[in-house]
Amino acid sequence: MKFTPAKPLLTGETLGSLTEKLLERGEPAFRAKQILDWVYKKRARSWNEMSNLSKPLRTWLAEAFDLLGAELVLGKQSTDVTDKLLLELGDKSLIETVIIRVPQEGVGIENSRKTICISTQVGCAMGCVFCASGLSGLKRDLLAGEIVAQLLHVCYREDARTPRARMELASFDNIVVMGMGEPLANYDALIRALTIVNADWGLGFGARRITISTSGLVPKIQKLADEDLGFRLAISLHGATDEVREQIMPVNKAYPLAKLIPAVREFSEKHGRMVTLEFILIEEVNDSLEQARALRDIALDLHAHVNLIPYNTVEGLPWKRPSNTRQEKFADVLRAARVSVTLRREKGHDIDAACGQLRLKTEKERAVEVG
Ligand code: SAH
Ligand code: SF4
């Protein structure tokens, strides 16, 4: 499942690791910071642009590293507020990164709340029955540099929209790790990438505005609780009892609610922050009022925020979203108990925004072209 690129990716290097490589080559340590400035602050797309580095150093860099390891193959702007980037990696794998702009009342789209959604794996091994990302299993983990590269592509795209001012990634409100893949199944690369995203010498994005979403890998949630960087946590619950949850999420067999809930509590106590429980509403699967009541009790116990998401239909899968009335009734059970709850009217439906669907389509089209 490991992918070794022809050359290591520069976007996977930390200030420490790059300094070490440069010192080995007899370069002064400060060159590392200069190179990272070119990549993250000045957004150089080629080694030749790095004009304060000597020609031999640039030649060495070009031989030793690939800058990003990901190329934009398709940028799809939806009619509403979602912008989806399809990226091709060194081994031709496809991943996606989504920019979501949610307009705020009374302000223009440029002043909307902006979130970036990134992927951590090609495919997913967790096998949740409702999800497009897991349909053909896991192809491979992403490298740390490929995770970082997604955010650089967002920067390039935003820079192109406003040619006169370079966009600060920090002008986005949030980064959510909710694209393709189970982030905690690719733990080391995830933490390395987010360290680079967070660092001053990297993209300088605050850890407290980064949310990692997991289907519930308990030992990794415990590990994450011990990390110094204070990332936020979201749990894909989708079932408020073991009976319902294990029907749709195989991970519940290894980590049932009796194991998951204490791990989430521990995380939330260590960090002193609210955890989010994600709950997709799927008709006649998990949308009963009994489920709403069980979810209410879990949320009250964990002092968690609940995000209700009407299911986004996936081609080839039988699941449907419940009616709006049903969704509201479900939400009312939580509201009545003063649980902090949002019922998300999701954006970007028209461009297949649900996780994994754009990639799936392109893979299918490719298969048609080849076959
Ligand atoms: N693997 C991680 C993160 C990626 S999935 C996780 O499961 O948490 C991001 C979110 O999208 C999860 O909450 C997931 O359950 C949800 N999701 C998957 N397919 C969906 C669909 N068709 N409609 C709505 N949400 C979906
Ligand atoms: Fe994987 Fe998350 Fe999809 Fe489940 S919901 S298959 S864990 S990406």
Side-chain angles (χ1 to χ4, degrees):
M1 234 53 100
K2 280 267 166 283
F3 164 62
T4 314
K7 299 174 196 175
L9 308 183
L10 193 83
T11 42
E13 298 292 331
T14 62
L15 180 61
S17 67
L18 186 60
T19 306
E20 226 169 81
K21 288 183 179 167
L22 288 161
L23 287 175
E24 255 169 47
R25 215 192 149 259
E27 294 285 343
F30 69 82
R31 291 273 180 242
K33 177 77 174 38
Q34 279 183 328
I35 295 167
L36 296 174
D37 269 358
W38 276 110
V39 176
Y40 296 112
K41 308 283 185 306
K42 301 181 199 156
R43 258 71 92 216
R45 306 283 297 264
S46 73
W47 307 106
N48 276 339
E49 284 170 58
M50 305 186 181
S51 52
N52 58 358
L53 308 181
S54 69
K55 189 95 205 298
L57 178 56
R58 278 184 266 156
T59 309
W60 175 77
L61 283 169
E63 279 163 14
F65 295 101
D66 246 341
L67 205 59
L68 293 174
E71 271 183 50
L72 181 71
V73 287
L74 185 67
K76 235 180 174 187
Q77 175 91 53
S78 88
T79 49
D80 57 14
V81 288
T82 308
D83 210 352
K84 196 149 186 168
L85 311 186
L86 188 70
L87 304 177
E88 187 177 77
L89 308 177
D91 61 350
K92 303 271 181 230
S93 291
L94 297 171
I95 55 164
E96 54 196 11
T97 307
V98 187
I99 304 171
I100 307 153
R101 298 185 180 82
V102 180
Q104 306 295 294
E105 246 170 81
V107 298
I109 191 85
E110 290 312 319
N111 295 316
S112 54
R113 264 189 93 72
K114 292 186 292 179
T115 298
I116 307 166
C117 176
I118 57 173
S119 299
T120 51
Q121 296 183 310
V122 185
C124 183
M126 304 308 295
C128 306
V129 299
F130 48 79
C131 175
S133 291
L135 279 182
S136 40
L138 174 69
K139 186 166 170 199
R140 71 169 171 90
D141 285 338
L142 293 189
L143 302 166
E146 291 168 332
I147 299 174
V148 176
Q150 294 173 58
L151 294 164
L152 271 174
H153 274 288
V154 170
C155 293
Y156 301 154
R157 190 160 178 93
E158 295 292 302
D159 289 345
R161 284 159 52 96
T162 50
R164 252 167 287 148
R166 204 172 287 122
M167 190 270 312
E168 288 289 329
L169 194 66
S171 71
F172 277 84
D173 297 284
N174 299 293
I175 294 175
V176 295
V177 189
M178 294 189 185
M180 206 190 334
E182 167 48 54
L184 297 188
N186 186 13
Y187 192 91
D188 292 344
L190 172 79
I191 298 299
R192 188 179 178 93
L194 294 183
T195 302
I196 297 168
V197 171
N198 173 248
D200 291 345
W201 45 260
L203 284 164
F205 197 90
R208 291 182 164 268
R209 294 193 285 142
I210 301 177
T211 302
I212 300 170
S213 175
T214 177
S215 58
L217 295 178
V218 167
K220 296 295 168 56
I221 294 173
Q222 290 161 335
K223 200 168 169 193
L224 191 66
D226 290 330
E227 297 285 343
D228 290 334
L229 296 167
F231 304 117
R232 283 171 175 260
L233 182 66
I235 304 290
S236 288
L237 200 65
H238 311 329
T241 54
D242 284 326
E243 200 197 350
V244 169
R245 193 167 193 262
E246 75 181 28
Q247 276 174 21
I248 52 178
M249 298 182 73
V251 66
N252 197 70
K253 294 207 175 74
Y255 304 114
L257 296 175
K259 288 190 176 151
L260 178 59
I261 291 170
V264 178
R265 185 179 300 117
E266 186 189 324
F267 183 97
S268 147
E269 280 168 5
K270 272 194 186 151
H271 285 258
R273 309 211 89 198
M274 259 189 161
V275 166
T276 296
L277 304 176
E278 308 272 343
F279 204 94
I280 324 175
L281 291 169
I282 313 175
E283 190 176 72
E284 308 224 333
V285 172
N286 64 1
D287 64 339
S288 70
L289 296 185
E290 275 132 66
Q291 281 292 298
R293 287 190 284 268
L295 176 59
R296 169 198 65 195
D297 294 344
I298 296 173
L300 288 172
D301 172 34
L302 290 174
H303 189 57
H305 174 77
V306 174
N307 201 2
L308 297 175
I309 311 149
Y311 182 66
N312 221 347
T313 5
V314 175
E315 212 182 303
L317 294 182
W319 321 104
K320 285 199 208 88
R321 63 172 55 177
S323 68
N324 283 1
T325 326
R326 186 94 189 143
Q327 294 171 26
E328 288 297 339
K329 279 200 173 140
F330 192 101
D332 281 343
V333 172
L334 295 142
R335 290 181 190 130
R338 300 201 176 280
V339 171
S340 152
V341 57
T342 41
L343 174 56
R344 213 197 299 167
R345 301 262 169 238
E346 98 291 14
K347 301 291 173 192
H349 199 82
D350 58 324
I351 58 155
D352 308 314
C355 89
Q357 281 170 268
L358 182 66
R359 163 183 169 264
L360 198 74
K361 257 195 185 161
T362 313
E363 294 279 20
K364 277 191 193 157
E365 280 159 17
R366 270 192 183 173
V368 171
E369 275 164 30
V370 175

